[in-house]
Amino acid sequence: MGNNIFSIGILHMKTIVIIGAILGLTSIIMGAASDHFFSEFVTVDNAKRLDTALRYHQLYAILIFCVGLYGLKTQPHPTLKWASYAFCLGVVIFSGSLYASLLPSLSWIIFMTPLGGMTIMVGWLLCIINALLQRV
């Protein structure tokens, strides 16, 4: 039965690696799109917002991908899986709300950005718990 639980853990971590890769791909697409297609929406005032969205999107794509790879090579505590999911959800809400807020009709969605940031913080808290609970 322990082997079956480990197999389920590998499946979760494989999913995290795939999500990290998708986030990495979409971060490059968003960076290119912002330079080539979204220039009419990007003003001097909201260029900083776009830079922040891209920076977090790219950074957390790498982090999520690496956490998934780590989970594939070890037998992590389940808190690492939940940390990974928190990072995934957090970056989608955080960067997604910043991207969407660049559109004039969706400027109100920026109020979701702190929720994404708090979700990312939960991910870090779960990483701390994971480190404390991880068997050496």
Side-chain angles (χ1 to χ4, degrees):
M1 182 163 177
N3 197 13
N4 190 22
I5 292 171
F6 184 63
S7 297
I8 292 170
I10 288 176
L11 179 63
H12 285 293
M13 289 297 117
K14 193 179 224 182
T15 302
I16 295 301
V17 170
I18 292 167
I19 292 170
I22 290 169
L23 286 169
L25 174 64
T26 57
S27 75
I28 299 304
I29 291 169
M30 289 303 293
S34 70
D35 283 345
H36 301 290
F37 303 118
F38 300 150
S39 58
E40 66 185 75
F41 299 114
V42 180
T43 64
V44 175
D45 293 334
N46 60 19
K48 186 175 178 182
R49 193 181 314 164
L50 176 62
D51 286 344
T52 300
L54 284 169
R55 185 174 59 248
Y56 275 77
H57 191 166
Q58 292 169 346
L59 173 69
Y60 279 91
I62 294 167
L63 175 76
I64 291 162
F65 186 80
C66 291
V67 168
L69 288 178
Y70 170 77
L72 285 175
K73 298 295 179 190
T74 63
Q75 214 169 354
H77 191 273
T79 54
L80 186 66
K81 173 185 76 172
W82 293 110
S84 302
Y85 290 145
F87 288 142
C88 293
L89 181 62
V91 74
V92 167
I93 295 170
F94 184 88
S95 291
S97 64
L98 288 173
Y99 291 137
S101 72
L102 298 175
L103 300 171
S105 62
L106 294 175
S107 61
W108 58 269
I109 205 163
I110 198 159
F111 294 108
M112 295 292 291
T113 306
L115 177 62
M118 287 185 285
T119 307
I120 290 170
M121 287 182 220
V122 167
W124 283 113
L125 179 61
L126 289 168
C127 281
I128 293 167
I129 293 168
N130 178 70
L132 294 171
L133 297 176
Q134 188 70 34
R135 293 181 208 170
V136 186

